[in-house]
Amino acid sequence: MITNNLIMGGTYSIQLRNGRGKLIMRGNKLVDKSWVYGPVDSECKAIDWADNSLVTIDENYRVTSTVGPLTCVG
């Protein structure tokens, strides 16, 4: 279960693959344009994915705005 986190960086910021059991990804905020290749590379059919969003932050890592929803890709 991955819930209510601020995520940034990486080649793909979120990669959920080959998981066992129920995969849950809810309520997370991903810093917009902080990745190298893309925001998400995951097995979407296997994930309970809800209420994740792209955001901007300030220098103190506080969310300053919501860019839009973060959809699962993969």
Side-chain angles (χ1 to χ4, degrees):
M1 179 182 314
I2 302 168
T3 59
N4 302 316
N5 296 287
L6 178 63
I7 302 165
M8 66 184 285
T11 53
Y12 289 97
S13 296
I14 299 168
Q15 290 184 304
L16 292 174
R17 295 194 167 279
N18 303 315
R20 294 185 181 189
K22 186 171 184 174
L23 301 176
I24 299 170
M25 180 81 178
R26 294 185 192 158
N28 297 288
K29 294 171 178 40
L30 174 60
V31 178
D32 192 32
K33 300 178 185 167
S34 65
W35 53 83
V36 175
Y37 297 120
V40 178
D41 179 32
S42 298
E43 293 174 314
C44 299
K45 293 179 186 177
I47 303 169
D48 178 357
W49 186 281
D51 300 321
N52 300 296
S53 56
L54 288 172
V55 299
T56 59
I57 59 172
D58 65 16
E59 63 276 356
N60 294 311
Y61 301 98
R62 291 181 296 221
V63 174
T64 56
S65 69
T66 299
V67 176
L70 176 62
T71 57
C72 189
V73 179

